[in-house]
Amino acid sequence: MSSSSLGPQQRAGDLDRMADETLDIVVIGAGVTGAGTALDAASRGLTVGLLEQRDYASGTSSRSSKLIHGGLRYLEQMNFGLVREALRERQLIFDRLAPHLVRPVSFLYPLQHRVWERAYVGAGIAMYDGLAALARNSLPTHRHLSRRGALKLAPALARDGLVGAIRYWDAQVDDARHTLGLARTAAHYGAAMASSSRVIGLLRDGDRVTGVQVLDLESGRRFDVRARQVINATGVWTDEIQDMAGRGTIKVRASKGIHLVVPRDRLHSESGLILRTERSVLFVIPWGKHWIIGTTDTDWELDLAHPAASRTDIDYLLSQVNTVLDQPLTREDVEGIFAGLRPLLFGESDATSKLTREHAVSQTVPGLISVAGGKYTTYRVMAEDAVDAAVRNLGGHIQPSCTTDIPLIGADGFKPAWNRRRKTATESGLTTSQTENLLRRHGTNITEVLEMLKERPELSSTLPGSEDYLAVEVAYAARHEGALHLDDVLTRRTRLSIESWDRGLAATRQVADLMGTELGWDESAIAGEIAHYEARVAAERESQEQPDDRTADAARLGAPDVRRMGRG
Ligand SMILES: Cc1cc2nc3c(=O)[nH]c(=O)nc-3n(C[C@H](O)[C@H](O)[C@H](O)COP(=O)(O)OP(=O)(O)OC[C@H]3O[C@@H](n4cnc5c(N)ncnc54)[C@H](O)[C@@H]3O)c2cc1C
């Protein structure tokens, strides 16, 4: 077994290894699909490389609604197969693969029509739970509530028109940390991997793809990676890689979804909410000391790396959620906003919410497999299908996928570690709640975090502007979690960029100093990182004042990606 640690030395070593060896498989894109694919392939005993142009999970996989779910609304579209498969994956992830990162979450469906609505929605939710039962569901099952029961659970609901509710259960995850966990687990099984490594071309032998050309965005170095099979797992960038091959067998369309983050105390409820909207559904999801409200579903043809939320998107979400709230939310209640792009397989329908969420795996040209579509929840199935397709071309006897039996790094032994959390707190000098937060983010890797804390006890302080994140987690992110830039820590290792009113600005100096110590930044590198982050926050704020996608996109692009700055 290799180390699961992703740090600067590992990155340099893995880049050299990828440049020197001919791999069985190279995977492009470290979202949940690519990281899952690397894990699937490495755990079958194949030699694997994973290349990500920006940070792990920096695309859609850090910007989802963070639900590990079957998707209640796909039942209405009669997509029983997809729901059943996703519910099976939900149970697997919750129970075995990532119990440290996934937790149950309940939703209340408020009812406004006495008879037919309760019967119709109730039947759908009962079927949802029925399909989950087939997958040995261990989450609680749904319950019908009277008007009084609904208001007791969610006093924030408007009294007018409310006749009752149905409460059901799903699961949620920190998507960015989960994808990172997959990447680290793949590294543990021997996969070489590097972020800030953009694929800029394909190597060819006649018609056949034999590898990729890579640009290291940190050093500016260009090099080739040879592989017997290349897997394109680039989400909404799928067509760009297919274009390099001169042929596309899968067509992916980007659909934008935005979310608002509001403080927990602005909406009094013990359960999340699910509401039906004209085009889709809207969730109000508990998220630590916050609520996440989303999402929208609109075509997006502008910048893929930095989708922007416009004023219209924000006002739309507020107007929708306010239809069921007693005290309306306003823009002043919104502390954070994020936008992501669904990689939807191109379909016949014009309304993006009706495009299929199912995935496709296809051989674009010999040597190049593309995998796209699907949902976060079904990443493991997508990964297995993609590697199966590659394996068919590799020949020889290669084992079938075994990822149903591979807990992520930090998952093994989580339950006993959780049970002894009070002792761990006493021994480490942290509070129980701080220890619980660490366990929820790092699982049993908490031991590595606590070892760092022993070396540098001063890192037990919380970061400015945050009650939840400890300074030691920043050092840990740079040493073990592949964080290369300030933005990586403020946006994906922690969620300060959406969970604090100042979007993490108060923490920039301390986080940059801590990262600088680990990564060897000098004062000008630290200043550059801070300036970039400040520019990003300013550009995002400006984009969120714009009336439409085009103006919001132009404003957001006012701040360049930190990886375009290239320090090396
Ligand atoms: C608003 C929204 C809400 C959602 N909510 C849910 C939910 O609650 N539950 C659920 O199950 N699903 C949800 N989804 C769907 C889910 O998030 C996506 O299906 C999933 O994250 C896609 O992952 P991916 O790995 O395919 O793509 P991505 O995460 O986008 O990964 C692709 C990666 O490829 C990299 N890349 C691109 N080009 C190159 C290149 N040339 N070289 C190197 N790297 C490259 C990108 O930088 C990126 O990191 C949601 C999606 C959206 C947009």
Side-chain angles (χ1 to χ4, degrees):
M1 293 299 158
S2 309
S3 163
S4 69
S5 186
L6 303 181
Q9 276 178 0
Q10 160 276 328
R11 182 175 181 279
D14 279 2
L15 283 173
D16 286 345
R17 199 177 121 203
M18 286 192 266
D20 291 345
E21 280 178 31
T22 297
L23 300 164
D24 289 322
I25 293 180
V26 68
V27 183
I28 315 172
V32 71
T33 310
T37 300
L39 173 59
D40 188 293
S43 58
R44 295 190 201 206
L46 298 168
T47 54
V48 184
L50 174 63
L51 294 161
E52 164 56 46
Q53 62 179 350
R54 292 159 67 218
D55 183 24
Y56 299 99
S58 56
T60 308
S61 298
S62 55
R63 302 151 182 264
S64 78
S65 304
K66 314 189 193 316
L67 296 177
I68 296 295
H69 65 161
L72 192 54
R73 75 196 167 99
Y74 307 129
L75 277 184
E76 205 168 28
Q77 298 167 2
M78 303 287 194
N79 206 337
F80 303 116
L82 175 63
V83 177
R84 190 174 165 189
E85 179 176 77
L87 286 170
R88 205 182 51 220
E89 292 301 310
R90 181 185 80 176
Q91 183 57 24
L92 187 63
I93 299 167
F94 175 65
D95 200 40
R96 196 184 309 162
L97 305 187
H100 57 311
L101 296 175
V102 179
R103 63 184 79 186
V105 59
S106 80
F107 291 102
L108 216 55
Y109 190 114
L111 299 170
Q112 285 171 336
H113 305 276
R114 207 163 286 281
V115 182
W116 72 263
E117 197 184 17
R118 191 181 281 282
Y120 181 73
V121 177
I125 293 180
M127 184 185 289
Y128 192 67
D129 275 351
L131 289 172
L134 295 175
R136 298 167 187 270
N137 173 47
S138 57
L139 296 171
T141 50
H142 73 282
R143 215 156 55 85
H144 281 258
L145 299 174
S146 64
R147 181 175 190 273
R148 224 172 80 197
L151 286 170
K152 194 166 163 219
L153 204 63
L157 286 175
R159 270 105 185 115
D160 275 3
L162 183 75
V163 298
I166 304 175
R167 185 187 199 189
Y168 76 98
W169 291 78
D170 248 316
Q172 70 178 163
V173 71
D174 183 328
D175 47 5
R177 293 203 62 84
H178 176 264
T179 294
L180 174 72
L182 278 170
R184 288 190 63 182
T185 312
H188 177 67
Y189 285 94
M193 59 188 64
S195 58
S196 292
S197 300
R198 177 174 297 155
V199 169
I200 51 171
L202 299 174
L203 304 177
R204 307 293 287 255
D205 181 1
D207 240 11
R208 201 182 160 68
V209 170
T210 55
V212 295
Q213 297 169 319
V214 182
L215 170 62
D216 176 349
L217 294 175
E218 299 299 318
S219 66
R221 169 186 171 207
R222 284 163 195 260
F223 61 97
D224 294 345
V225 177
R226 301 194 176 276
R228 295 160 70 205
Q229 291 286 303
V230 175
I231 298 183
N232 170 15
T234 54
V236 290
W237 289 268
T238 300
D239 291 7
E240 284 185 12
I241 302 293
Q242 291 189 135
D243 287 348
M244 292 177 192
R247 183 160 172 250
T249 43
I250 297 181
K251 193 103 192 82
V252 171
R253 174 164 151 188
S255 147
K256 183 177 71 166
I258 78 141
H259 291 87
L260 310 179
V261 183
V262 303
R264 197 67 179 258
D265 62 8
R266 301 296 153 98
L267 199 156
H268 189 20
S269 174
E270 284 168 38
S271 169
L273 305 174
I274 177 171
L275 327 172
R276 186 188 283 277
T277 62
E278 216 176 278
R279 295 184 64 174
S280 184
V281 291
L282 185 136
F283 289 104
V284 179
I285 308 164
W287 178 256
K289 294 177 181 144
H290 316 265
W291 296 101
I292 291 179
I293 301 174
T295 179
T296 56
D297 203 336
T298 52
D299 254 346
W300 178 263
E301 288 167 357
L302 302 163
D303 184 60
L304 295 179
H306 306 289
S310 69
R311 195 176 66 215
T312 309
D313 295 326
I314 297 164
D315 290 345
Y316 167 80
L317 279 186
L318 288 173
S319 71
Q320 291 296 317
V321 72
N322 284 340
T323 58
V324 297
L325 296 184
D326 197 31
Q327 298 289 322
L329 294 171
T330 69
R331 287 203 65 160
E332 279 62 52
D333 296 315
V334 177
E335 48 182 348
I337 298 168
F338 60 96
L341 299 176
R342 296 175 190 84
L344 298 182
L345 297 177
F346 203 84
E348 299 283 299
S349 163
D350 262 356
T352 59
S353 56
K354 293 209 188 86
L355 287 175
T356 176
R357 257 66 171 171
E358 278 169 292
H359 66 270
V361 174
S362 160
Q363 176 162 296
T364 308
V365 293
L368 177 66
I369 307 275
S370 292
V371 52
K375 289 152 52 87
Y376 196 100
T377 309
T378 53
Y379 80 87
R380 201 197 57 78
V381 181
M382 293 174 71
E384 178 176 341
D385 289 351
V387 178
D388 279 348
V391 158
R392 277 194 285 278
N393 299 330
L394 285 174
H397 182 68
I398 295 162
Q399 295 298 322
S401 174
C402 57
T403 50
T404 52
D405 294 321
I406 302 182
L408 262 60
I409 285 296
D412 224 3
F414 170 69
K415 284 173 191 165
W418 181 258
N419 294 342
R420 78 179 303 280
R421 63 194 183 281
R422 287 192 187 82
K423 277 201 195 99
T424 306
T426 314
E427 285 160 14
S428 62
L430 297 175
T431 65
T432 303
S433 130
Q434 286 173 328
T435 309
E436 287 177 355
N437 284 336
L438 288 181
L439 278 164
R440 283 283 176 208
R441 287 197 278 273
H442 304 273
T444 49
N445 281 337
I446 189 174
T447 49
E448 290 179 352
V449 179
L450 295 179
E451 266 164 36
M452 286 183 87
L453 207 50
K454 256 194 216 147
E455 280 169 35
R456 297 181 63 193
E458 73 280 9
L459 298 188
S460 65
S461 60
T462 52
L463 294 176
S466 135
E467 292 161 33
D468 288 342
Y469 300 107
L470 304 183
V472 66
E473 291 180 88
V474 176
Y476 185 78
R479 202 184 294 179
H480 295 291
E481 296 186 330
L484 294 177
H485 294 279
L486 185 59
D487 188 51
D488 303 349
V489 168
L490 293 173
T491 309
R492 287 169 293 276
R493 304 306 180 277
T494 73
R495 296 302 189 136
L496 274 170
S497 68
I498 52 166
E499 291 174 353
S500 58
W501 290 104
D502 72 353
R503 305 197 176 175
L505 288 179
T508 50
R509 180 73 221 190
Q510 190 183 346
V511 173
D513 282 344
L514 287 163
M515 291 187 76
T517 305
E518 294 293 327
L519 301 175
W521 293 348
D522 59 17
E523 193 48 47
S524 96
I526 289 175
E529 290 285 333
I530 295 175
H532 164 266
Y533 190 77
E534 287 173 350
R536 178 208 135 162
V537 170
E540 274 186 2
R541 283 197 193 279
E542 200 190 325
S543 70
Q544 290 153 12
E545 295 299 329
Q546 304 306 313
D548 55 39
D549 281 353
R550 225 156 258 292
T551 47
D553 179 65
R556 176 61 187 87
L557 292 180
D561 194 287
V562 66
R563 285 175 162 82
R564 249 175 253 163
M565 297 183 350
R567 190 177 302 120

